[in-house]
Amino acid sequence: MDRRAFVRHSALASLGAAFLAGCASGGGGTGAPVAPGNPVPPTPTPTPAPTGRTVLGIDHFAEQGFGALKGLRCGLVTHRAGRDGTGQRTVDVLARAPGVRLTKLFGPEHGIDGTAAAEIVVKNAKDARTGLPIYSLYGATRRPTPEMLEGLDVMVVDFQDIGSRSYTYISCLRLVLEACFSMPRPIRVIVLDRPNPLGGEKVDGPFLDRKWRSYVGSYEMPYVHGLTIGEIARWAVATPGVLELDEATRRRGSLEVIPLRNWSRARTWDQTGLTWVPTSPFIATPQAALGYAMTGLGCQLGEFTHGSAGQLPFRFLKAGKRKSAEIVAALGSAVPGLTLEPRTLADGTQGVYTTVSDWARFKPCAISLHMMRQSCVWDPSNPFARATGTQRDLFIKHTGSEAFFEELRTRGARVDLPRWMARWDADAAAFRARTAPFRLYA
């Protein structure tokens, strides 16, 4: 399927009848470990643009015979999308691998099976297939406790991220790294890399101020970060201050990333040849993953909401009872490279479907910023001025900027979006430069 199909999201795909495939590689060997005394890993040599199917970190690890796990007691943090290229669960692959002693499982938000709704507490359980205990990292605790980690030599992490800062699997990764490195005998962490479904070229949107770090924003980075989960781990472990650890503890930690093969930053999910597995109930397709980056922030406060009765999450926008034509008139030309297609759903709901018409010009977060401003145009009493304390804090935790919220609250429709977008473009360029040494793929 071509890129237009990825960015457009057909009605068939929106109903979950078909899932896409795609993304790419760089580097063929094992990722250089970030080990004690060597916090900054070498930058890989650029490789030619890849063709063909991307090889996932779990499959690359299998080709190596799981040598880094032989004879060690192993834990695994994973979720529903933690599968190899044939669709087998990483849990089962490691459980039956010769010489691998998988003893404990850990599940993030949405649970290890990926079916729990957002923000719903998940309880400890037992895996029906392997009989292994599953410790919830979205229940009584979000950080693995010393008791949970007791007896482990190595922790494997296998998450499919979606490229946006507020999606909580990268927050779970940070807490796992901190907990493993803080043990009296530090536990080594191995991250099995997976493609960023948005590719690695788009870095965009509001930057998170450190004061507002939370589980929906664990890193000082742009909202669309442009990194794989393995690259985030490399940057976090090697850079003082990213992890909440003292310097001695950070340097005692040991990280290895098993890289993708045949992936490059220019490859979005549709180009990988891989089958998408839902990462959470509302991210059942790669098109929804792209939509999350586009519209998630814009639906935090104000008149806009996304989806309808579970259909087209993050891609279909509606604004109360407003007609499709009114939304198109207000926002149709706001974002270069983005088209708003009028839609009327079967139940009569009117809205617009977001279609990326020019990927090169398109900035993922821009439409959300214009949605915020437009909510103030339509509602002169200003939804941001009426926000409760809880709504305010949640909005800032997602967007990352208290100053931006205050300008929306006090100026409403007169918010200076061009100034903010120019500022965040500069932040994105600086973030690219800071993280360049930790990228694994050209």
Side-chain angles (χ1 to χ4, degrees), residues 255-287:
L255 168 74
E256 182 175 2
V257 175
I258 307 298
L260 301 161
R261 289 213 319 270
N262 207 33
W263 191 77
S264 74
R265 315 202 80 76
R267 278 191 157 189
T268 49
W269 186 267
D270 56 299
Q271 298 172 323
T272 59
L274 298 169
T275 298
W276 184 265
V277 177
T279 54
S280 58
F282 274 1
I283 309 295
T285 67
Q287 295 91 350

Side-chain angles (χ1 to χ4, degrees), residues 394-408:
L394 189 60
F395 178 89
I396 298 172
K397 286 176 181 179
H398 279 83
T399 57
S401 172
E402 183 175 359
F404 178 59
F405 174 85
E406 285 303 311
E407 186 166 330
L408 282 167

